[in-house]
Amino acid sequence: MNSRKQRHKAFNVIPAALMMLATYCGSATAASVAGGFSHKDWDLTCDNTLTCRAVGYGAIAEEEGASVLLTRKAGRNEPVINRVMLAHYGDDEWQEGSAPELIIAGRTAGALSFAGDESWQMSEAQLAQFLTALKQDKSISFRKNDDDYSLSGAGSSAVLLKMDDVQGRVNTPGAILRKGKNSESSVKAPIAIPVILKAPVIDKYLRRMTAQEEAVFRPVILQALGADADTFCSEERLAEPLEIARLNEQRSLVSAPCWLAAYNSGDAYFEINNDMQSAPVLVSDSANGYDNGVISSGMRGRGVGDCWSYDAWVWNGTEFVQSQRGDTGRCMMMRVGGAWDLPLLVTEVVEQ
C-alpha cells in the first residue's frame, strides 16, 4: 500500500448516515432541478447569467477519485474552461511531486499545468482528447506520484448535451457534444449580472437585546414565526436571547435563534419597523451570520465538511435582496470545504 492510501485509510469506512447522503447526492436517476441537471456521475449547474458548469466525479465508491469542472459562459465563441481536482481530503502533501498526467485508455496524454486553488488544468489539446474519450466511453484517469485517480464518464453525454441545449449550441459548430452546421445565431447571449446597491447601515454587527427590548420584540417575533414555531424551531433555542442591529432610523434587523442539528444551525432573521407599525418581514429562517448589511448562510452537506451550500442577502436601503446562492458540489471527500464553487445566483454588489 502506498503512502497516500495509508494517509486516507481512516476514511475507508463511512458512517451509514453519511453513505446514505452520498448515495442520494450521486443518484443514478437523471433529474432536472432548478438551475441544474444531474445524471449518474455528472452534474450541471447553470447560473442566472447562463454561465454553465458541468462537473464529473469518480465512481462514488472510489477512495482516490478525480473531479473535472467544465465552465462555459453563454454567447458565441466562448471557450470551455477546464479544471481538474484530485481527492486530497486531509492530505497536506497533495501538491508535492510532479504534476499529474492525463491517462486515456491506459496511455498518457501528457502532464497537466497548475491552475491555482488546489486544482490543475488540461491544455487545449488535452481537453480535446478528454472530450473525445468521454464521447467514446474510454477510461479516463489522472496519475500523480504513482497514484491513479479515476474519473467516471457515466452520465457525461446527457449532462454535456444538456449544457449545449441550455446555451442554444446543439447542432452548431461550437457544441461540445452534438456538433452541426446550424448557424451560431441560435446561441444564447449572456444575461447581464444583476447589480445590487448596498446601502450603509447604522450597526455593522448584531448585539444582544436589552430586557426592555426583549419584552417588546419577542412576542412580535414569536407571532411572526407562527403557531408551529416551537415545532420548527427548538424550544431551547427559542428561549435564547434575541439579537438586533439598526439598519437605519426606521428599520432594524432582528435575529432569533431557531434550530440546531448535528453539524448545522439556523437562526430566523427578520427586518422590522422600529415603530412596530407593520409585521416583521422574514428574510431567512436558516441563516447563521450578519456583517455590515449582509446576512449569510453556510450549511455543511455532512459532518466532515467536504461539501457546503451557501446563501447571502444584502440590505439595499429598503429590503434585503438575495445576492448569492450555490454550493460546492457533491459530497465526495475531494477536499475540506468542497471541491468547486457552483453558483446558481451571482450578482454585483456596489456600495452606495
Side-chain angles (χ1 to χ4, degrees), residues 25-329:
C25 291
S27 171
T29 302
S32 293
V33 295
F37 176 82
S38 295
H39 189 47
K40 296 183 179 179
D41 298 321
W42 280 71
D43 300 326
L44 175 69
T45 301
C46 297
D47 66 30
N48 54 305
T49 71
L50 275 187
T51 293
C52 290
R53 297 168 175 87
V55 183
Y57 300 91
I60 204 161
E62 289 286 344
E63 177 187 340
E64 293 185 339
S67 181
V68 171
L69 168 65
L70 302 177
T71 302
R72 195 176 203 181
K73 295 180 180 180
R76 302 183 191 182
N77 302 316
E78 284 291 343
V80 177
I81 305 301
N82 77 87
R83 293 291 184 270
V84 178
M85 187 170 291
L86 310 182
H88 58 280
Y89 186 95
D91 188 349
D92 294 331
E93 302 174 6
W94 67 272
Q95 198 176 345
E96 291 186 358
S98 58
E101 292 180 292
L102 170 62
I103 308 297
I104 296 177
R107 302 182 64 178
T108 182
L112 308 186
S113 59
F114 185 60
D117 193 26
E118 303 178 15
S119 69
W120 307 86
Q121 185 173 24
M122 292 178 276
S123 68
E124 187 174 343
Q126 288 173 323
L127 178 60
Q129 294 178 69
F130 172 83
L131 293 174
T132 298
L134 283 180
K135 296 174 189 177
Q136 297 176 352
D137 198 26
K138 293 182 178 179
S139 65
I140 299 174
S141 64
F142 300 89
R143 183 175 298 154
K144 185 175 188 295
N145 298 343
D146 296 323
D147 290 320
D148 285 325
Y149 300 77
S150 65
L151 181 81
S152 172
S156 61
S157 293
V159 165
L160 294 177
L161 181 60
K162 186 68 173 179
M163 184 174 179
D164 282 339
D165 180 52
V166 168
Q167 296 185 330
R169 302 183 194 276
V170 176
N171 293 324
T172 69
I176 297 176
L177 193 74
R178 188 179 296 169
K179 296 183 182 294
K181 297 181 179 180
N182 289 354
S183 170
E184 291 279 330
S185 62
S186 65
V187 176
K188 297 177 183 178
I191 299 172
I193 298 176
V195 176
I196 300 174
L197 297 179
K198 180 177 176 290
V201 295
I202 296 176
D203 295 333
K204 292 185 177 181
Y205 310 108
L206 291 162
R207 64 166 176 81
R208 186 170 176 170
M209 284 190 182
T210 65
Q212 184 178 14
E213 289 170 329
E214 278 270 355
V216 173
F217 284 101
R218 181 171 289 276
V220 177
I221 294 300
L222 291 179
Q223 182 178 7
L225 283 171
D228 60 347
D230 58 349
T231 300
F232 177 72
C233 300
S234 71
E235 185 176 348
E236 292 79 9
R237 291 224 70 204
L238 278 175
E240 296 174 18
L242 302 180
E243 294 186 315
I244 189 169
R246 291 175 300 163
L247 299 169
N248 53 36
E249 296 297 340
Q250 295 77 39
R251 307 289 285 177
S252 292
L253 178 68
V254 173
S255 172
C258 186
W259 57 269
L260 180 65
Y263 39 81
N264 289 313
S265 65
D267 298 335
Y269 281 76
F270 289 92
E271 178 208 336
I272 193 166
N273 273 331
N274 295 335
D275 60 12
M276 309 293 286
Q277 293 301 305
S278 61
V281 177
L282 178 66
V283 180
S284 173
D285 56 19
S286 296
N288 45 31
Y290 172 74
D291 183 5
N292 192 24
V294 179
I295 298 170
S296 58
S297 173
M299 299 289 169
R300 298 186 189 194
R302 60 183 183 179
V304 294
D306 62 335
C307 49
W308 291 75
S309 62
Y310 61 86
D311 293 90
W313 299 262
V314 172
W315 175 247
N316 68 1
T318 303
E319 61 183 345
F320 279 94
V321 179
Q322 187 154 26
S323 58
Q324 289 183 328
R325 184 171 71 254
D327 60 57
T328 64

